[in-house]
Amino acid sequence: MHEDGSVDPVYQAKARVLNNAIQEIGMGRYQIHLFICAGFGWFADSVWPLITSLILTQVTAEFKFSGPYLTLAANIGLLVGAIVWSVGCDIWGRRWSFNLSLLIAGVFGLSAGGSSNFVSLASLLAVVGVGVGGNMPVDSAVFLDLVPGTHQYLLTVMSIWWCLGQLFCSLIAWPLIANFSCAPSTSEECLRSDNMGWRYLLFTLGGVSLLLWSIRFFVFDLVESPRFLVGIGKDAEAVEIIHKIAVYNGKTSSLTLDDLLDVDEKGKGMGGERPLMSRTSVYGLDHVKALFKTRKMAVSTSLLISLWGVIGLASTLYNSFLPFLLNSRGASFGDGSLDITYRNNFILSVIGVPGAFLAGWAVERPYIGRKGTLAIASGEYPHRPLFNDPPRKLGLTGAFLFASTTARSSNALLGWNCGYYFFSNIMYGVLYAISPEIFPAKDRGTGNGLVATATRVFGVIAPVIALYADISTAVPVYIAGGLVIFAGALALLIPFEPRGKASI
């Protein structure tokens, strides 16, 4: 990728030297431990945005407010976090963003459990969102910077942590909210003493987040990204980091500082803009400009931003109100109890787990790759099964969304949603991987920030739509399904295919 001059040639040459050094070390203990610790970010990004939908019915019963306002507050926090942490990690480095984001989520998540009114709850969850919003953009950049090119597909498999987060959250919410909450659809006043379940859930998840942060901070020693260091002119520190990883893995590295300095000498005739690369650590706008430097890069960046925005609107609109939909539809079918509602949420979370492994396998298949897997899983892919068969469109996530409107029983609705969850986890697994793989490492945090900001902006729009729409009907499903199918078409237009190519 990036052979069209979209990346500074000196930086590109040095990045390839570092790629070879990391490949020489291979996949070892450090990368395995990083897979676990970076996965905590996926876990948090799954748990905390989901929490608003899991507690929505209970907190609206107690505080008497319009439910979408809570989702709106949480998404505003996620939007701020996506901008601050992802852009910041290209300016002050990956380590601070990697460690602080999870700490903020844990501290304020615990505090949210003690909320006495809607304003305090919404404000604290918004601050939680500020911490959580930076996890995915930063952690994907960190992981991709330090893993060998032959194992980049693991970034797609990283979505297993997202699935486990959903599973854990649903498993904890089921007994707590089902047994320690006011009865649904009751005219009686909902007192705090009768409605402690959602508070217990926030206390639990806040404590778990702090535990995961402590493992990151006190147990695992995250090194700074060598590509980031090279991008700001700290070649000697980059070489030192490579050797540190090699020692951790029980290996040795042949990389020397002269290998990078030789690139500088050769770069004098390559037109490399070495001073500009060093200056980008101060001027964040330069990172944005780099992502639109050539026509091909500009098209790629614009399509990724659009893709994230469209999917963000569709999934937030649908997922934020799924428990409400299951409960209201279940009530119509005569089985809308809290116990059944959260049992169904748990089943949906379990269904998503194998999708992460299927996604990791599919992205490495010839003729499919990242773009094909994303298109098939989301909304649109031209498929010709036999020579003489006419081409037809496959779009599995969008198809299951539309199919859910045909449900005439709560079990049928659950069945369609199982299909949606399975394929949407594949869709997200690929989406979260293809973007950082395409963005160059020196601009990767900013690129991740742009696409994450897009999905958070539309995540803010989704509850506004819900405020003026009747979410007890199938309207949100039709909107979400149409948007996901459109996203599948966008995926096929991305000019880069990362399969088989080491990112730089």
Side-chain angles (χ1 to χ4, degrees):
M1 295 188 295
H2 308 302
E3 300 294 345
D4 60 346
S6 57
V7 177
D8 179 88
V10 175
Y11 169 78
Q12 188 172 29
K14 289 195 173 188
R16 297 194 188 285
V17 171
L18 293 176
N19 282 347
N20 293 334
I22 294 175
Q23 189 65 54
E24 179 187 20
I25 296 171
M27 187 74 183
R29 281 199 312 140
Y30 191 87
Q31 285 78 15
I32 294 172
H33 294 166
L34 179 61
F35 181 87
I36 295 171
C37 290
F40 295 163
W42 265 255
F43 182 92
D45 189 82
S46 169
V47 163
W48 288 109
L50 179 63
I51 199 69
T52 54
S53 63
L54 290 178
I55 67 174
L56 192 60
T57 302
Q58 285 64 49
V59 295
T60 52
E62 181 176 341
F63 295 144
K64 310 299 182 186
F65 66 94
S66 182
Y69 284 114
L70 183 64
T71 306
L72 179 62
N75 278 288
I76 289 174
L78 291 169
L79 170 61
V80 174
I83 296 172
V84 172
W85 297 113
S86 52
V87 174
C89 79
D90 276 342
I91 298 175
W92 57 66
R94 300 347 186 194
R95 296 183 70 186
W96 282 105
S97 299
F98 184 79
N99 287 314
L100 287 178
S101 55
L102 205 54
L103 174 64
I104 292 173
V107 170
F108 287 92
L110 270 174
S111 303
S115 301
S116 57
N117 54 58
F118 165 70
V119 174
S120 61
L121 176 63
S123 301
L124 289 168
L125 286 181
V127 181
V128 170
V130 173
V132 172
N135 273 295
M136 295 289 291
V138 174
D139 296 355
S140 61
V142 167
F143 183 75
L144 203 56
D145 284 351
L146 298 171
V147 73
T150 53
H151 290 74
Q152 280 182 193
Y153 71 92
L154 289 175
L155 188 59
T156 301
V157 181
M158 188 79 77
S159 63
I160 185 64
W161 289 98
W162 204 77
C163 303
L164 292 175
Q166 288 181 319
L167 181 60
F168 177 81
C169 194
S170 298
L171 184 61
I172 297 299
W174 184 1
L176 291 179
I177 294 184
N179 295 307
F180 300 97
S181 298
C182 299
S185 304
T186 179
S187 58
E188 298 180 6
E189 183 180 2
C190 183
L191 302 175
R192 174 174 177 149
S193 58
D194 299 324
N195 200 39
M196 291 297 292
W198 67 268
R199 290 184 169 86
Y200 295 150
L201 180 59
L202 286 174
F203 291 146
T204 302
L205 296 179
V208 169
S209 296
L210 286 178
L211 174 63
L212 298 181
W213 166 79
S214 65
I215 294 174
R216 272 189 176 186
F217 191 77
F218 295 109
V219 178
F220 181 70
D221 182 18
L222 177 70
V223 297
E224 188 54 84
S225 164
R227 296 173 188 167
F228 167 77
L229 292 172
V230 163
I232 61 174
K234 297 184 177 180
D235 294 354
E237 292 184 31
V239 173
E240 183 181 341
I241 292 296
I242 292 294
H243 284 277
K244 186 175 182 179
I245 295 174
V247 170
Y248 195 97
N249 284 357
K251 301 286 186 67
T252 58
S253 173
S254 60
L255 180 68
T256 65
L257 180 58
D258 289 337
D259 293 330
L260 297 178
L261 296 180
D262 287 345
V263 175
D264 280 329
E265 290 299 319
K266 296 176 182 177
K268 293 177 181 178
M270 297 166 60
E273 301 178 17
R274 185 61 184 163
L276 176 61
M277 291 168 59
S278 298
R279 205 171 69 235
T280 55
S281 63
V282 181
Y283 301 110
L285 187 59
D286 288 337
H287 292 290
V288 177
K289 292 179 180 178
L291 297 173
F292 296 88
K293 186 175 180 180
T294 66
R295 183 179 181 276
K296 188 175 182 180
M297 193 66 185
V299 169
S300 176
T301 302
S302 299
L303 283 172
L304 287 172
I305 292 173
S306 301
L307 192 59
W308 278 69
V310 169
I311 290 180
L313 175 59
S315 62
T316 304
L317 185 64
Y318 187 72
N319 288 338
S320 293
F321 303 98
L322 179 60
F324 176 86
L325 179 65
L326 290 173
N327 188 48
S328 61
R329 288 291 180 91
S332 300
F333 301 136
D335 55 359
S337 69
L338 285 175
D339 185 65
I340 292 178
T341 297
Y342 286 93
R343 180 209 66 182
N344 291 350
N345 272 299
F346 175 74
I347 291 172
L348 293 176
S349 300
V350 172
I351 291 296
V353 173
F357 296 104
L358 179 59
W361 172 83
V363 294
E364 291 296 301
R365 297 308 95 199
Y367 309 110
I368 299 179
R370 272 67 162 168
K371 294 196 300 181
T373 304
L374 180 56
I376 293 172
S378 53
E380 186 165 328
Y381 189 71
H383 177 63
R384 188 187 299 271
L386 296 174
F387 258 130
N388 297 319
D389 284 352
R392 61 178 184 267
K393 306 293 185 182
L394 299 177
L396 297 171
T397 301
F400 276 102
L401 280 178
F402 280 120
S404 66
T405 63
T406 67
R408 295 297 178 265
S409 69
S410 62
N411 286 336
L413 180 62
L414 176 62
W416 291 123
N417 279 320
C418 284
Y420 162 74
Y421 258 67
F422 179 81
F423 290 106
S424 67
N425 274 291
I426 296 176
M427 176 182 71
Y428 268 111
V430 181
L431 182 65
Y432 287 154
I434 191 174
S435 303
E437 282 187 297
I438 288 176
F439 296 132
K442 70 183 184 70
D443 309 308
R444 185 168 291 143
T446 302
N448 287 348
L450 287 176
V451 296
T453 298
T455 199
R456 301 310 185 189
V457 166
F458 282 98
V460 170
I461 294 174
V464 175
I465 294 175
L467 284 170
Y468 297 98
D470 183 4
I471 59 175
S472 63
T473 71
V475 172
V477 181
Y478 286 126
I479 295 174
L483 289 172
V484 170
I485 289 175
F486 175 63
L490 288 179
L492 295 174
L493 300 177
I494 298 173
F496 297 108
E497 171 54 66
R499 190 189 74 83
K501 306 177 183 71
S503 66
I504 61 168

